[in-house]
Amino acid sequence: MADEHAPPKIEVRVADKKDVDAIIALSSKVFRDEAPYTRGMILGQLSAFPEGQFVVAYEGEIVGYAATMMLKERKALAQHSWAEVTGGGYAAMHDRKGDWLYGMEVCVDPDKRRLRIGKRLYDARRRLAQDLHLKGIAFGGRMPGWKRNAKKFDSPEDYLEAVKRSEIRDPVASFHLKAGFEPLRLLKNYYPADTASGGYGILMVWRNPYYDPQREEQPVNRGNPDVVRIATVQMQARTIEKPDDFYKAVEYFVEVSSEYDADFVVFPELFTLMLLSCEPEELKPDAAIRRLTEHTPEFVERLTQMAIRRNINIIGGSHATETDDGDIQNVGYAFLRDGSVHAREKIHPTPNERTYWQIQGGDPIDVIETDCGPIGIMICYDSEFPEIGRRLCDQGARILFVPFNTDTRHGYLRVRYCCQARAIENQCYVVTSGMTGNLGNVDNLDIEYAQSGIFTPCDFPFARDGIAAEASENVEMVTVADLNLATLAWARYEGSVRNFRDRRLDLYRTTWSDGG
């Protein structure tokens, strides 16, 4: 039986008084040429607006801090200085009746920049602005490239325009633009000690797309995330010269999906069989399983780090391996962006898997808790058993991920039709990811047929044919779709049909061995 490997390595949470010393130490490390935050300043921020101060912890160490407060629009969007608007860094100007979230500070450990800590902190701010029904986020951003490029431009305004046109890259301003912030104007004498920026700040804003001034109650997008972006990879089987070639191919797709701001990227069943293609000779089944098992620690570590660095949840297809209890299993992994790893075994091996690989069926059928809500994994053949999807959705899953590997069109269609049935009967989303191509030097992976897709229930708010997106047949590509979880809730309670709720539990139900 496969075990869950590790607790979260990285987490974003609200700061607490016990974090004060660590935040001060972090600010000392970040602001080497300036005075760090004092204990009184941090305590003032925590006292003024406790829910608005965030830290990022990596393996227990504070590596990021974001300080915020609330301001009225006339204050947040007017000309101002950092000292004036923040009350000297104490958040003393915080206005609980404010309609904008104002960013006082973001500190990121310079030794941990590859972990996308800044993006995580900005995402936390966005969620807070939505939860509080605010108009948006505003802050004075730095432009540290201005001083060294000043001779090339007539004014700082010209420099900012060049940055906006991507004619020149500013280390901070370009990051803010890429993150979706809009520059309104320059703030003169915003922070005089910032000599690299000439003392200027850029008034950056992000407008809450869910803010409706006509409604007293604003909708919340991500209390428990409503909109989840999915990227499913239809991957070409490729012969590799060394294992690193496989991981480079995987990281390419992870990076692309991350650049599209996907919450999940999904890979196919048995995609790790490509690791066997660099062996000097074709391995027999028992030797192949032993070799794949040797790859397991590196596979888990590599994809865990990809999930953390790229700030994305990875559904790592499946990996045939001998597990800790000595059984041979086909194991699906979820590598979450908080650094935690979850393993789920294939419940129903196909006749081919049982005969050729000696793979046995697993036994845990449980959801995985993610930052986008509970999800379920059904590996290929498992999707053809309706009890699996029903149990996962009963446990709260609203998205089911199905990595698959089929050799023929009729094998593929069995998976596809059953996945669409699971989406209809459970009123959930089902995401599939398959392999294409062939590997002539890996036994039992001769030909592949795939058309990966993202399937929805069939009702008015969803795609007309129940397909949110799908790949072209047998072509390596990434398919992306936004899935609205609130729409599922509507369908289950107000839809044309309500399959999930209309079950006749007085006549039938499935009873599981654990009592569920």
Side-chain angles (χ1 to χ4, degrees), residues 404 406-409 412 435-436 447-451 473-474:
F404 72 92
T406 52
D407 56 350
T408 63
R409 178 172 171 79
Y412 156 72
M435 287 259 284
T436 187
I447 57 174
E448 311 299 316
Y449 187 100
Q451 187 177 18
E473 295 172 277
N474 294 328

Side-chain angles (χ1 to χ4, degrees), residues 257-497:
S257 302
S258 175
E259 292 298 326
Y260 276 87
D261 289 327
D263 295 292
F264 290 90
V265 57
V266 194
F267 288 93
E269 180 188 25
L270 296 176
F271 76 137
T272 58
L273 288 180
M274 282 187 272
L275 291 166
L276 298 180
S277 68
C278 60
E279 294 296 322
E281 60 183 23
E282 190 173 300
L283 300 177
K284 297 300 181 185
D286 55 346
I289 288 293
R290 287 197 301 270
R291 188 71 183 98
L292 282 171
T293 301
E294 293 171 8
H295 282 287
T296 303
E298 182 180 14
F299 170 68
V300 170
E301 178 60 24
R302 288 258 204 157
L303 270 75
T304 299
Q305 292 306 315
M306 289 182 202
I308 293 172
R309 286 198 311 271
R310 300 298 179 185
N311 190 32
I312 190 170
N313 300 308
I314 302 173
I315 306 300
S318 79
H319 175 60
T321 185
E322 184 176 342
T323 54
D324 295 338
D325 56 7
D327 289 342
I328 298 173
Q329 303 280 3
N330 188 356
V331 183
Y333 288 93
F335 304 94
L336 303 188
R337 52 186 162 198
D338 64 7
S340 62
V341 181
H342 304 263
R344 292 295 182 267
E345 297 161 353
K346 190 171 185 176
I347 304 303
H348 302 92
T350 62
N352 175 271
E353 287 175 297
R354 292 197 303 269
T355 302
Y356 189 84
W357 299 101
Q358 305 300 308
I359 288 176
Q360 302 179 44
D363 46 27
I365 308 172
D366 295 303
V367 297
I368 297 169
E369 296 291 340
T370 77
D371 57 354
C372 297
I375 61 151
I377 295 177
M378 303 187 297
I379 301 173
C380 197
Y381 195 29
D382 285 342
S383 67
E384 299 178 32
F385 296 84
E387 301 88 354
I388 305 295
R390 179 54 52 85
R391 176 178 168 97
L392 291 169
C393 289
D394 276 340
Q395 291 182 352
R398 290 169 290 179
I399 305 175
L400 302 178
F401 294 99
V402 182
F404 72 92
N405 190 306
T406 52
D407 56 350
T408 63
R409 178 172 171 79
H410 58 253
Y412 156 72
L413 289 175
R414 284 196 299 268
V415 173
R416 179 193 179 101
Y417 293 152
C418 288
C419 286
Q420 291 190 273
R422 302 296 84 83
I424 291 169
E425 68 200 13
N426 295 302
Q427 294 182 288
C428 68
Y429 297 113
V430 181
V431 182
T432 67
S433 171
M435 287 259 284
T436 187
N438 60 80
L439 285 178
N441 61 337
V442 176
D443 206 7
N444 210 37
L445 197 67
D446 305 314
I447 57 174
E448 311 299 316
Y449 187 100
Q451 187 177 18
S452 306
I454 302 173
F455 304 118
T456 76
C458 290
D459 208 339
F460 291 112
F462 303 101
R464 183 191 65 179
D465 49 6
I467 304 170
E470 65 181 336
S472 301
E473 295 172 277
N474 294 328
V475 176
E476 183 172 71
M477 62 187 299
V478 178
T479 304
V480 182
D482 283 341
L483 304 181
N484 192 314
L485 302 183
T487 307
L488 289 181
W490 176 91
R492 288 180 175 183
Y493 287 91
E494 299 184 51
S496 303
V497 293

Side-chain angles (χ1 to χ4, degrees), residues 52-65:
Q53 322 310 322
F54 300 100
V55 293
V56 176
Y58 179 67
E59 295 184 336
E61 177 188 1
I62 301 299
V63 295
Y65 176 62

